[in-house]
Amino acid sequence: MSEKQYGMLVRTGRCVGCQTCVVGCHVLNECPEGVYLGHLETVGHEDNYLVDGTFPNVRVTFRPHLCNHCAKPACVENCPTGAMRKREEDGVVETDPEVCIGCGTCVKACPYGAPALDEERKVAVKCNLCRPRVERGEEPLCVCSCPGEARLFGDVNDPSSDIAKAIAETKAEPLLPEEGTEPSVYYC
Amino acid sequence: MDDRVKHAEEFVKDGKLTRRTFIKGVGWITVASALGAAAGCAPQQHEEEQQAEPASSSGIDAAAQAKADATTYSYACCSYNCTSRCLLKGHVRDGRLVAVEPGEMPGRPDYANACLRAMSYIERVQNEDLRVMYPMKRTGERGSGEFERISWEQAMDEIAARMEESKEKYGPESCSFYTFTGNQSKLSMQSPTRFAGCYGATTWDIEGIMGDHGASMGMKMCYGVIRASHDTRDYEQNSNMIVLWGRNLADTHTSELRYIVRARERGAKVVYIDPRFSSTATIADQWIPVKPGSDSALALGMINWIIQNDRHDKDYLSKHSCGSLLVRDDDGTYLRGPDDAYMVWDPAQNTAVPATTEDVDAPIEGAFEAGGVAVKPAFVHLKERAAEYTLERVSELTGLDPQIVETFAREYSEAKPAGIRMGQGMQRTFNTYQSFRTVATLAAVAGYVGVRGGGASHMGGTKANKPVPGETAPEFNFEEWADTGENKANMVKSSLIYQCAVDHDPVRTDFIWFSCSNFLNQSPDAHRIIDEVFPQMSTIVVADPWWTWTAKYADYVLPATSLWEYWDIYDRSPWVFLVKPAIEPLGESKSDCEMMTMLAERVGLGHLWSKTPEEWVRSWPNPESSSFKGFDFDEALKEGMWGMPTGIYDEALIAFGDHAYKTASGRFEFYTEEMVDFDEQVPKHTPPIEASDPDLVARYPLMHITYHDRMNVHSQHCDCPALHAVQTEPLLHLHPTDAQARGIAHGDVVRIFNDRGEAKIRAFVTEGIVPGVTATQAGWTPERFIEGSAQYLSHLKLSPAEERYSQTSSAFNDIMVEVEKA
């Protein structure tokens, strides 16, 4: 656990469900129509934007999803071609479209359903935590464009990082830890 | 096959759709993995391959690098009308915009913003099927959608001839230029109005028909200005309570959200007032669900509670508000003294003295006789009026428990300070100036006006420059642009546009040029426009980038450039947006300025339009002004932006910290002489017009509102496919009790109707709305409804009080309807 591992903290109390993250990412990554690299969940509801409780005592929790860049990624483990890999340098899980055959195994293997299939190009597509941006010294688009500043990005394995401190402080938890993939995205 | 496997199969068929379902069923995820293995993709078999040929980042990096190398960046001002005015950084590759991200604002790195609409908008901009590509001339009936392509020369020759014919027959005022907020960059929005000035034609005072004027009118009465904004950072830093009153800023003004969220985490209580549990309600501590149009009743109830509990700020009310100004009993006007001075009562001398007299402890209560005229301080009128709004009555009017009203009034008055941010959502009922006016008065009574962390503020403002001692040079050289030659425009209230067409009152409207406007989709009572208003106009020209609903009723449709395809400028001091085309204009589209230049040349006004758009833009920044010290146009253009060195960036500015109000009296005025005839001289709750009609309510028992949401700035974004992750069609929100009473289930197609029209739409049944109220998202165009349009339901009724003061504000939230399963 000492290697660098980029990850994210999503502060759901700041999320208003606008989907700027979902839409901005889709555009930036030039995804085909209908393919998104993240999605919004309205916790407890099939349809987004339904609320809990009864009028006037209602509340709602939104949870934006993205690839969890797991320490033990099921997508990598199950990828038949080796297109899906986890980078040692920063823990980012990404796929090489030149190698990927679009079989969809990663989609099925991932406990979070994070990779998507680009059926036109016959390749899996997924969040790479905006690695090219990060390497240029910028934040992932979903982080810098979030109007509620709901997301923090950084090295979750470095206890001195802002994100690691915030995860500890807020007692944030990853989703589905019981799947054993050791996700790097935390929610509070 | 059990359900879990079925889920997995769906997922295999469509890898993009059912992730939400997938994530919910924790238990079956292993099943999905097992299915993967069983389907022949056994991971173990491939491990070897994986190890033999490990992918590396090098290929990925090379591809990313190639992409980056081929990408250039160009900036635009997000100039449609949410008013955030974000700097957009466009990624351009092979002549196409491929992505958009927030651009950095000089001096305010915290303010960089681009919302989902701005980022997806490039899809609509570059969709040739949606764009008007060439000048088009109608060949079929109006509205038939039958057009033929013509040349620019032919289009402008014919339009000019028809305009001249209207002028010849009915005078230049019968030719009008209706330019709206679809693009608020200077050249785009102002070119048609400038042309109207050059031609002596009519332009329209746009706020009325759009339903924004109630806010401006109410603010103007109180403050003398229409905004009185506090920088949102002021709330972040200073407010103990933040009241977001009808302002769904999380959807409609996303650049402000971060400051509210931070304030809340600091410990400020966030209260949200709206008939709907909107996106903004999700980050609030309290949702106060008022009935539409009852906001002024709530505020009056709070004013009354504060006064009755002796918590009003008497010092402020005496010194800085009209509270101590004497009002004549006989005619309700302010008592005037020497040189028309406003007067207060001087208890030391037992006489009325000019309000500017120093060291007078002017009372805000009592009754006096001044030179034989019975007078009372204006506050007495407010107190008496407010006394009509007991907790019980306010409860009836608002639908709120009296305890909620009382607790809110107490907490608001104790917060010291509490800041109120108002949004247009709290108006848009009949006679709607009362809402902003009354809430502003509430802040004044509590002593929060001109106070850090306080105020009752309209939309966010950051416009701020330091005064430069001795400087006479204007920031911009706008003289030539302001010069319209021998003529000037004839400005008419937009609330009167229907009657101008039909009754020729106060002017006849025979020729109309629409720009930056989907008039039909955004104005009340669409059937009335189609059946009564348009047929009275001999010529309708629409200049627009897109084939809007309005364009389909035009005689000529002209292709306009979007905000990514032209030269323009936007002054939002301390920032100046400088825009150059990021991509080639689509088809034969031209900027609004270029079109007006062509029209001017055809009617002998070419000498007033001698510059190209680029030349105009380059001519405006004044190098003599300190605000442009060190300015190099081409350097600034690279960043799309100039941050004025005179700008105030670090300080969260507030309104009227100096209490120098811009009203006639120089004070905060809750007493308005002009409204005496209507018994509205002080704030009063005037109920929604349709909900007050028992016959109408018997037939149409549900009150319908339209609201601005995350999908659209007005009508501009529903054609961006990227946004379909959010929503693909307009939805009718209604409460489960109303739905059940009509046998309507969530997701059913329903018919919503009244005497004016109907729409078919899918039902969204939610606990997050006041029972008895239905709501649709504003801006959706008819092709996105299953049938009809929400604008078939709305109406334009003139308010005598608002028309007297300025103009009627459309009551889009004052509509009674019935809903049934379709």
Side-chain angles (χ1 to χ4, degrees):
Chain A
M1 283 294 281
S2 58
E3 313 86 33
K4 190 174 194 177
Q5 174 64 62
Y6 280 142
M8 215 173 274
L9 168 64
V10 181
R11 296 174 284 191
T12 57
R14 285 170 164 245
C15 178
V16 295
C18 66
Q19 304 207 46
T20 301
C21 49
V22 174
V23 172
C25 164
H26 165 93
V27 176
L28 182 73
N29 287 289
E30 299 173 47
C31 294
E33 192 170 337
V35 174
Y36 296 87
L37 307 188
H39 71 277
L40 179 74
E41 177 196 7
T42 301
V43 177
H45 296 279
E46 190 88 8
D47 281 0
N48 270 330
Y49 307 120
L50 286 171
V51 296
D52 299 326
T54 52
F55 177 89
N57 302 307
V58 299
R59 59 188 302 279
V60 67
T61 303
F62 297 117
R63 201 188 267 159
H65 291 258
L66 68 158
C67 169
N68 281 275
H69 298 276
C70 304
K72 296 178 180 167
C75 58
V76 174
E77 195 180 318
N78 288 277
C79 176
T81 63
M84 192 71 81
R85 69 181 286 271
K86 184 171 178 68
R87 285 165 49 85
E88 284 175 10
E89 302 93 314
D90 48 27
V92 169
V93 175
E94 64 184 18
T95 179
D96 187 342
E98 297 299 316
V99 180
C100 178
I101 56 169
C103 67
T105 309
C106 54
V107 180
K108 286 174 266 173
C110 173
Y112 308 94
L117 280 182
D118 176 344
E119 284 169 7
E120 226 167 85
R121 289 164 59 218
K122 297 269 182 275
V123 290
V125 287
K126 68 179 292 300
C127 159
N128 63 354
L129 286 173
C130 282
R131 187 165 70 80
R133 293 175 60 87
V134 171
E135 287 171 358
R136 289 199 297 267
E138 298 165 9
E139 287 184 315
L141 185 65
C142 62
V143 176
C144 72
S145 64
C146 176
E149 297 175 330
R151 293 167 180 242
L152 285 180
F153 168 79
D155 181 0
V156 296
N157 279 356
D158 173 4
S160 68
S161 70
D162 289 347
I163 185 172
K165 284 186 212 160
I167 288 169
E169 216 170 277
T170 58
K171 298 188 171 64
E173 303 263 3
L175 300 178
L176 310 181
E178 64 277 16
E179 291 295 319
T181 60
E182 298 180 18
S184 309
V185 176
Y186 293 77
Y187 292 82
C188 69
Chain B
M1 190 183 285
D2 72 13
D3 279 345
R4 298 180 299 183
V5 178
K6 235 189 274 172
H7 270 292
E9 276 196 339
E10 277 171 24
F11 193 68
V12 172
K13 268 190 244 153
D14 186 352
K16 64 203 182 203
L17 261 188
T18 53
R19 261 161 290 151
R20 207 183 309 142
T21 319
F22 195 82
I23 204 89
K24 278 178 61 190
V26 175
W28 58 269
I29 280 162
T30 38
V31 176
S33 299
L35 187 79
C41 298
Q44 290 82 358
Q45 287 173 8
H46 292 278
E47 244 170 36
E48 241 173 75
E49 278 177 44
Q50 191 180 332
Q51 279 159 5
E53 272 185 78
S56 76
S57 294
S58 60
I60 300 170
D61 286 346
Q65 193 57 48
K67 207 166 158 180
D69 290 345
T71 303
T72 57
Y73 301 98
S74 193
Y75 292 84
C77 170
C78 200
S79 47
Y80 29 73
N81 190 21
C82 93
T83 74
S84 280
R85 257 349 133 246
C86 301
L87 178 66
L88 306 179
K89 182 180 180 183
H91 299 216
V92 182
R93 207 169 61 239
D94 301 329
R96 279 184 72 80
L97 278 155
V98 292
V100 171
E101 64 176 303
E104 194 164 301
M105 309 287 269
R108 286 284 305 277
D110 61 301
Y111 199 66
N113 192 62
C115 70
L116 67 166
R117 293 165 288 233
M119 293 196 286
S120 61
Y121 193 57
I122 54 173
E123 295 182 326
R124 190 173 190 234
V125 164
Q126 298 175 118
N127 185 335
E128 294 190 1
D129 294 335
L130 299 173
R131 289 290 295 265
V132 180
M133 298 292 283
Y134 313 102
M136 304 293 279
K137 181 180 181 179
R138 180 171 61 82
T139 54
E141 291 292 302
R142 275 185 183 162
S144 66
E146 293 165 25
F147 290 86
E148 64 178 1
R149 179 180 170 181
I150 56 173
S151 69
W152 269 109
E153 293 302 314
Q154 184 189 342
M156 298 312 289
D157 287 348
E158 290 184 15
I159 290 166
R162 290 174 71 149
M163 183 174 74
E164 294 275 77
E165 193 185 330
S166 292
K167 179 183 176 182
E168 188 70 25
K169 278 191 195 161
Y170 309 116
E173 301 86 3
S174 70
C175 305
S176 83
F177 289 79
Y178 187 98
T179 180
F180 228 62
T181 61
N183 190 336
Q184 296 192 298
S185 275
K186 187 175 177 75
L187 275 175
S188 197
M189 193 179 190
Q190 292 185 359
S191 291
T193 42
R194 179 170 189 268
F195 178 86
C198 298
Y199 196 64
T202 292
T203 59
W204 303 93
D205 186 353
I206 62 178
E207 271 199 346
I209 198 159
M210 70 162 76
D212 279 3
H213 189 62
S216 298
M217 183 171 163
M219 295 297 271
K220 179 116 179 153
M221 281 180 181
C222 294
Y223 295 102
V225 298
I226 63 173
R227 292 285 183 255
S229 299
H230 284 229
D231 187 318
T232 318
R233 289 176 297 174
D234 176 48
Y235 306 132
E236 179 196 357
Q237 294 160 10
N238 301 313
S239 301
N240 294 322
M241 175 188 269
I242 300 166
V243 182
L244 302 171
W245 205 316
R247 182 158 186 81
N248 178 15
L249 56 82
D251 283 343
T252 62
H253 212 250
T254 67
S255 60
E256 283 189 284
L257 177 63
R258 63 198 69 171
Y259 308 105
I260 303 297
V261 168
R262 288 183 204 159
R264 187 181 177 217
E265 291 196 350
R266 174 179 57 72
K269 178 170 182 176
V270 177
V271 178
Y272 181 72
I273 305 175
D274 189 327
R276 291 179 52 248
F277 188 83
S278 74
S279 301
T280 309
T282 67
I283 51 107
D285 296 285
Q286 186 182 6
W287 172 41
I288 298 185
V290 290
K291 285 186 200 166
S294 71
D295 305 78
S296 53
L298 174 57
L300 278 159
M302 293 169 73
I303 291 170
N304 184 43
W305 188 91
I306 288 169
I307 294 172
Q308 295 305 323
N309 287 276
D310 200 31
R311 291 171 181 229
H312 50 303
D313 189 334
K314 299 170 203 67
D315 190 54
Y316 172 85
L317 289 166
S318 170
K319 287 185 182 145
H320 302 305
S321 90
C322 64
S324 57
L325 300 184
L326 298 172
V327 173
R328 301 170 65 111
D329 283 359
D330 53 4
D331 63 4
T333 61
Y334 283 114
L335 180 71
R336 297 301 183 98
D339 297 328
D340 218 22
Y342 289 87
M343 306 294 280
V344 295
W345 191 256
D346 182 354
Q349 300 182 55
N350 216 25
T351 183
V353 297
T356 49
T357 313
E358 285 183 15
D359 298 326
V360 175
D361 190 13
I364 58 171
E365 304 219 40
F368 312 101
E369 202 174 288
V373 179
V375 293
K376 292 189 195 76
F379 179 75
V380 174
H381 294 267
L382 178 66
K383 184 179 177 180
E384 284 175 2
R385 172 64 55 75
E388 297 167 18
Y389 296 86
T390 60
L391 292 176
E392 292 67 31
R393 181 159 178 237
V394 171
S395 172
E396 269 170 42
L397 293 168
T398 60
L400 299 170
D401 188 293
Q403 191 60 48
I404 287 175
V405 180
E406 181 172 15
T407 305
F408 182 33
R410 176 184 291 115
E411 289 183 356
Y412 175 74
S413 66
E414 287 174 352
K416 299 199 187 309
I420 298 174
R421 177 71 106 214
M422 294 182 274
Q424 273 102 340
M426 66 185 260
Q427 34 126 65
R428 298 204 173 122
T429 51
F430 188 73
N431 212 31
T432 197
Y433 78 98
Q434 295 286 7
S435 53
F436 269 61
R437 177 196 194 196
T438 311
V439 174
T441 300
L442 166 65
V445 167
Y448 290 151
V449 172
V451 171
R452 288 202 178 280
S457 160
H458 200 340
M459 57 184 66
T462 46
K463 187 175 173 70
N465 284 52
K466 291 175 209 136
V468 180
E471 175 133 331
T472 52
E475 290 168 353
F476 295 94
N477 294 317
F478 287 148
E479 300 84 357
E480 188 184 348
W481 182 255
D483 175 15
T484 56
E486 291 164 15
N487 295 314
K488 60 178 186 174
N490 172 47
M491 174 87 89
V492 176
K493 303 173 189 183
S494 58
S495 60
L496 304 182
I497 188 167
Y498 299 178
Q499 74 179 48
C500 284
V502 177
D503 305 322
H504 311 159
D505 174 28
V507 293
R508 183 177 193 133
T509 299
D510 191 53
F511 169 102
I512 194 159
W513 176 297
F514 290 109
S515 64
C516 310
S517 170
N518 189 350
F519 175 78
L520 191 47
N521 202 68
Q522 299 303 112
S523 303
D525 203 348
H527 280 309
R528 185 172 166 195
I529 299 173
I530 294 168
D531 299 339
E532 299 171 29
V533 176
F534 280 171
Q536 297 300 319
M537 297 172 172
S538 72
T539 306
I540 300 173
V541 179
V542 167
D544 205 290
W546 292 283
W547 275 105
T548 62
W549 194 15
T550 315
K552 287 168 190 158
Y553 282 86
D555 305 310
Y556 295 89
V557 183
L558 303 175
T561 45
S562 75
L563 58 86
W564 287 105
E565 301 162 285
Y566 58 39
W567 285 91
D568 216 326
I569 197 169
Y570 191 91
D571 167 28
R572 203 235 171 116
S573 301
W575 295 302
V576 184
F577 293 78
L578 300 163
V579 186
K580 71 172 186 335
I583 56 171
E584 288 290 317
L586 260 77
E588 293 183 359
S589 57
K590 289 185 186 295
S591 70
D592 294 283
C593 180
E594 289 169 306
M595 289 185 225
M596 288 301 137
T597 303
M598 291 176 81
L599 191 60
E601 285 164 352
R602 283 161 173 77
V603 292
L605 295 168
H607 58 288
L608 296 168
W609 293 81
S610 59
K611 287 187 165 69
T612 65
E614 181 180 352
E615 286 166 352
W616 281 116
V617 172
R618 285 182 181 271
S619 76
W620 285 330
N622 181 6
E624 306 296 315
S625 164
S626 305
S627 295
F628 285 97
K629 198 177 170 191
F631 176 73
D632 179 300
F633 191 97
D634 293 296
E635 280 304 307
L637 194 61
K638 287 180 192 162
E639 308 293 325
M641 164 67 71
W642 171 250
M644 290 176 168
T646 50
I648 298 169
Y649 299 96
D650 297 335
E651 190 188 342
L653 296 176
I654 67 164
F656 300 115
D658 58 0
H659 298 302
Y661 302 96
K662 306 293 184 196
T663 53
S665 69
R667 292 167 175 238
F668 182 98
E669 287 187 19
F670 54 74
Y671 189 98
T672 307
E673 292 172 316
E674 291 96 316
M675 308 315 281
V676 169
D677 288 349
F678 304 94
D679 191 29
E680 294 174 17
Q681 58 274 29
V682 288
K684 177 182 184 179
H685 168 68
T686 51
I689 191 166
E690 294 220 326
S692 307
D693 178 341
D695 293 339
L696 203 58
V697 172
R699 286 185 293 143
Y700 303 113
L702 299 167
M703 191 165 184
H704 184 63
I705 61 176
T706 51
Y707 66 95
H708 292 63
D709 78 336
R710 56 182 83 76
M711 279 289 289
N712 257 313
V713 175
H714 305 122
S715 64
Q716 301 227 47
H717 295 87
C718 45
D719 285 320
C720 300
L723 293 177
H724 293 170
V726 180
Q727 202 168 316
T728 55
E729 61 183 328
L731 298 169
L732 182 75
H733 287 223
L734 76 168
H735 190 266
T737 53
D738 297 319
Q740 280 152 21
R742 292 163 177 79
I744 294 166
H746 182 67
D748 281 353
V749 174
V750 298
R751 174 175 170 257
I752 175 169
F753 61 100
N754 60 20
D755 285 343
R756 288 177 293 271
E758 65 178 78
K760 273 188 194 155
I761 182 172
R762 209 168 291 281
F764 188 90
V765 180
T766 174
E767 294 280 353
I769 190 166
V770 171
V773 176
T774 61
T776 48
Q777 307 78 49
W780 289 92
T781 49
E783 60 268 27
R784 296 283 177 179
F785 280 83
I786 295 165
E787 262 179 55
S789 158
Q791 286 299 20
Y792 287 142
L793 305 164
S794 53
H795 57 82
L796 179 62
K797 292 190 179 79
L798 298 185
S799 153
E802 289 186 336
E803 287 293 326
R804 170 79 67 85
Y805 190 84
S806 46
Q807 65 172 324
T808 300
S809 193
S810 291
F812 294 111
N813 291 343
D814 191 341
I815 299 171
M816 298 309 288
V817 297
E818 180 54 291
V819 176
E820 65 183 20
K821 204 168 162 174

